[in-house]
Amino acid sequence: MTEQNTGAVTLPGAGPRTPAPATPAGPGAPAGPDAPAGPDAPATAKAPRARTGALLIAALVVVLAGLALVSAGVGAYGIPVADVLGSVQHRLGLGGAALDRVGESVLWNVRLPRVVLALLVGSSLGCAGALMQGVFGNPLAEPGVIGISAGAAVGAVAAIGLGLSFFGNWTITACAFAAGLVTVGSVYLLSRNGGRTEVVTLILTGIAVNAFAGALIGLFVFFADSGQVNQITFWQLGSLAQATWPKVLAVLPCALAGLLIAPFHARKLDLLSLGERPARHLGVDVERLRLALILVVALLTAAAVAVAGIITFVGLLVPHLLRMANGPGHRFLVPGSALAGAVVLLAGDLAARTIARPAELPLGVLTALIGSPFFFWLLRRTRRKQGGWA
């Protein structure tokens, strides 16, 4: 069972993709899930969807800019939005005026690093989720399926539990990033058979690796002292509380590389959604595409988890909602998921540090509390529309 344009959901590992029924097309008609059904379709079907996608992208950009300004000003030391804009303009040499010494320090050393990190982490997780769902042909897939998040967590927990400090303050981040990449590489190699990688085998291998990673984390926690246990727990809950410009610079190259590469594979993902065999007939090297996108997902997710801890449901829900709003076309879905992921994480971080002031809720806990029931509602809604999972 596969996802069609109705937004249907299939369970992970439920079976191979079923090619979509062929529709007649003229000599110049594009192939893929967004192909028009006839000569008059571009004006009646494809154009409205493109306009809707452009409007959604524009709306996400506006919301993201507004949230960034509000988030930069809200906190124990309040800064009006106009003053935030003035300070940014002053730093860019475009006029404006600087704040007082305390205000400038709070804005540029505390708030803005956190805002920028939220944008990078959220966009990375959202884009990674869209790519994973495209690679697996399943809207329930997310980066954690193949063990990237769990592997990065093992690296960070090992660095904390063993007291490693060879990179100074960067040790935990470096270990988490390296472990995430090693984990996804191991999952991919273990799932190969006869020079090919089957989706079901990849998912089952990821489940096994996730279980093994969970056991390793438990082992490190068991042998850690109370201070290390507290640090491990705080890291696993996910937070942007320790955001700094060096952490922003640490995730920036990986995030930019992944976000720039991903849109170039959108057309091939559209063809892959027809099924592996039709995609191969249309000239897609499925194995190479899958490997390239898994590496991009690993890059995005490992970098995000390394600096922010484990933050769940962003990569799962964001692409799913955008697919419901504007269909499964990846030329909209990939950049749209990056923008929407940034919006969701920035809004979540703002809520996490204001709901229980002066305390701060862990961001990963907040996204799970909101995302779990919402995702359950999506499952129920889709099940009712399909009349069951059979």
Side-chain angles (χ1 to χ4, degrees), residues 33-306:
D34 291 329
D40 298 328
T44 59
K46 201 168 183 181
R49 178 165 290 180
R51 286 196 298 269
T52 303
L55 289 174
L56 285 172
I57 292 290
L60 287 171
V61 170
V62 172
V63 172
L64 188 59
L67 268 175
L69 289 174
V70 172
S71 185
V74 171
Y77 186 92
I79 305 173
V81 172
D83 290 348
V84 173
L85 280 173
S87 179
V88 172
Q89 289 175 335
H90 180 73
R91 289 288 182 111
L92 296 176
L94 301 175
L99 304 174
D100 58 74
R101 185 174 59 84
V102 176
E104 283 284 295
S105 178
V106 169
L107 178 62
W108 290 94
N109 297 328
V110 179
R111 301 274 174 78
L112 287 181
R114 186 162 184 161
V115 168
V116 176
L117 194 63
L119 297 179
L120 292 174
V121 171
S123 59
S124 296
L125 294 177
C127 182
L131 295 178
M132 283 293 295
Q133 292 173 12
V135 167
F136 287 105
N138 194 314
L140 296 184
E142 55 113 11
V145 167
I146 54 175
I148 305 172
S149 299
V154 170
V157 170
I160 296 171
L162 298 176
L164 303 179
S165 59
F166 47 82
F167 283 142
N169 293 333
W170 293 91
T171 303
I172 296 175
T173 301
C175 288
F177 181 72
L181 294 182
V182 169
T183 301
V184 74
S186 302
V187 169
Y188 184 79
L189 291 175
L190 290 172
S191 62
R192 286 180 66 82
N193 183 25
R196 295 183 57 189
T197 305
E198 296 180 351
V199 171
V200 175
T201 307
L202 197 65
I203 291 174
L204 294 177
T205 306
I207 291 173
V209 169
N210 276 323
F212 183 69
L216 287 179
I217 291 172
L219 194 63
F220 280 117
V221 170
F222 178 79
F223 286 108
D225 57 37
S226 58
Q228 292 171 336
V229 168
N230 290 336
Q231 191 177 359
I232 290 171
T233 302
F234 181 79
W235 190 90
Q236 284 187 286
L237 295 177
S239 175
L240 299 175
Q242 298 179 357
T244 59
W245 287 119
K247 284 194 173 183
V248 170
L249 293 177
V251 73
L252 184 62
C254 298
L256 284 182
L259 293 173
L260 290 175
I261 292 171
F264 290 102
H265 293 87
R267 177 64 174 169
K268 292 181 180 179
L269 284 173
D270 285 342
L271 297 177
L272 184 60
S273 66
L274 296 172
E276 290 190 17
R277 184 175 296 174
R280 287 192 180 96
H281 290 165
L282 292 168
V284 178
D285 188 334
V286 174
E287 193 65 22
R288 179 177 294 179
L289 176 65
R290 186 170 290 151
L291 174 60
L293 291 182
I294 286 177
L295 290 176
V296 172
V297 169
L299 193 67
L300 291 170
T301 307
V305 172

